[in-house]
Amino acid sequence: VGLLFFYFFLLCSVQPIWVQTPPSIPQENFTKYWVDSEELTGENGAGQNAYDGDSATAWVTAWSSGSPPHPHSLQVDLGSVYSIGGIRYKPRTVGGPNGRIGQYEIYVASTSGTPPTIPPIVSQWTLVASGVFPNTSTEQQVLFPAVASRYVWLRALSEAQNKGNPWTAVGEFNVLGTGSSGNVTINPPTATIGAGGQQQFTGSGGTPPYAFIITNDTSGGASVGFTTGLYIAGPNAGASTIRMADSSVPELATTATVTVTDSTGPPPPI
């Protein structure tokens, strides 16, 4: 059942819904990609405080020499591509209620492996969740359909106290999802066989089992085993493109090319 669902996902780009809350992605892999503002003089309000595992520290937007207005942005590089299904946001526990996020938006980079432009261009990102957090110090959780990306953007549009304050403060920011152990490789990356011939493809890296599908074929009816990777060429000369994807992050994929030659060959000797 799981493999059939995965195959349907590959062909139709349907986003899976988490049956259970996905786990937290390790924060030690995070790096600060971009923040629009951070207080570094009046207190240690650096952006990386939002994912240091310590809710007593916080990312705090500037206030000692001017307070830029909303929206405020924290963009995090997760270190590699993950299948992301949610976030957790905890307001800071030290320093009072100022900066608690009210209206929010969550984005992921639309192209999972390509670094987005800084400052952000919204068209390079996909909005996956939005809403309003309550004015509380309690950790908040937001879940959404799984999407593969390496970059996450928390965008604060207002403060929760409804006082018009211009600040944002985040005690802890966690991203929920599952990851892959690295890039995937298909072997061999190219092959040449006769019409009707066979070629075995295998994978490495990432999280097996891998899924193999044909995305283009001009040999007249080639096939490939979805989990076995055994390719059978069509009856005509042509070419095929084989796509192999990671089982945990379907967008983590690679391709191989098969050249199919005419199988008739030279005439027999007299």
Side-chain angles (χ1 to χ4, degrees), residues 31-99:
T31 57
K32 181 179 66 179
Y33 191 68
W34 183 76
V35 292
D36 71 298
S37 173
E38 55 188 350
E39 178 58 45
L40 301 177
T41 303
E43 65 175 304
N44 176 14
Q48 54 265 35
N49 291 343
Y51 49 84
D52 63 357
D54 183 359
S55 61
T57 64
W59 165 52
V60 182
T61 56
W63 55 264
S64 65
S65 58
S67 300
H70 291 92
H72 292 305
S73 296
L74 171 68
Q75 293 182 343
V76 176
D77 178 353
L78 305 179
S80 61
V81 176
Y82 288 84
S83 182
I84 304 166
I87 63 98
R88 290 194 185 103
Y89 150 69
K90 184 173 180 58
R92 63 176 175 177
T93 57
V94 176
N98 287 345

Side-chain angles (χ1 to χ4, degrees), residues 80-247:
S80 61
V81 176
Y82 288 84
S83 182
I84 304 166
I87 63 98
R88 290 194 185 103
Y89 150 69
K90 184 173 180 58
R92 63 176 175 177
T93 57
V94 176
N98 287 345
R100 290 177 182 168
I101 298 175
Q103 187 177 1
Y104 69 88
E105 294 174 339
I106 308 295
Y107 294 83
V108 299
S110 300
T111 304
S112 59
T114 303
T117 301
I118 297 175
I121 298 173
V122 174
S123 62
Q124 296 179 351
W125 296 78
T126 300
L127 179 67
V128 292
S130 62
V132 179
F133 289 129
N135 182 20
T136 176
S137 61
T138 304
E139 183 178 64
Q140 303 296 307
Q141 177 174 280
V142 179
L143 299 178
F144 44 81
V147 58
S149 189
R150 175 172 174 164
Y151 303 91
V152 180
W153 177 8
L154 171 63
R155 192 173 189 228
L157 305 180
S158 68
E159 199 202 46
Q161 296 184 93
N162 294 319
K163 295 181 179 180
N165 292 333
W167 310 296
T168 291
V170 176
E172 280 298 299
F173 180 66
N174 279 281
V175 181
L176 311 179
T178 58
S180 172
S181 59
N183 294 327
V184 293
T185 301
I186 188 170
N187 294 300
T190 61
T192 300
I193 61 175
Q198 298 184 2
Q199 174 65 52
Q200 179 66 57
F201 288 96
T202 60
S204 60
T207 305
Y210 309 105
F212 300 85
I213 60 173
I214 295 176
T215 59
N216 184 63
D217 175 58
T218 59
S219 72
S223 64
V224 67
F226 177 59
T227 57
T228 65
L230 179 62
Y231 167 86
I232 303 175
N236 307 316
S240 299
T241 301
I242 314 298
R243 183 179 190 269
M244 187 195 80
D246 182 288
S247 67

Side-chain angles (χ1 to χ4, degrees), residues 15-30:
Q15 292 180 316
I17 303 297
W18 293 102
V19 177
Q20 296 180 335
T21 301
S24 295
I25 296 170
Q27 288 181 318
E28 56 263 30
N29 297 334
F30 294 7

Side-chain angles (χ1 to χ4, degrees), residues 194-195 235 237 261-268:
T261 62
D262 192 335
S263 63
T264 57

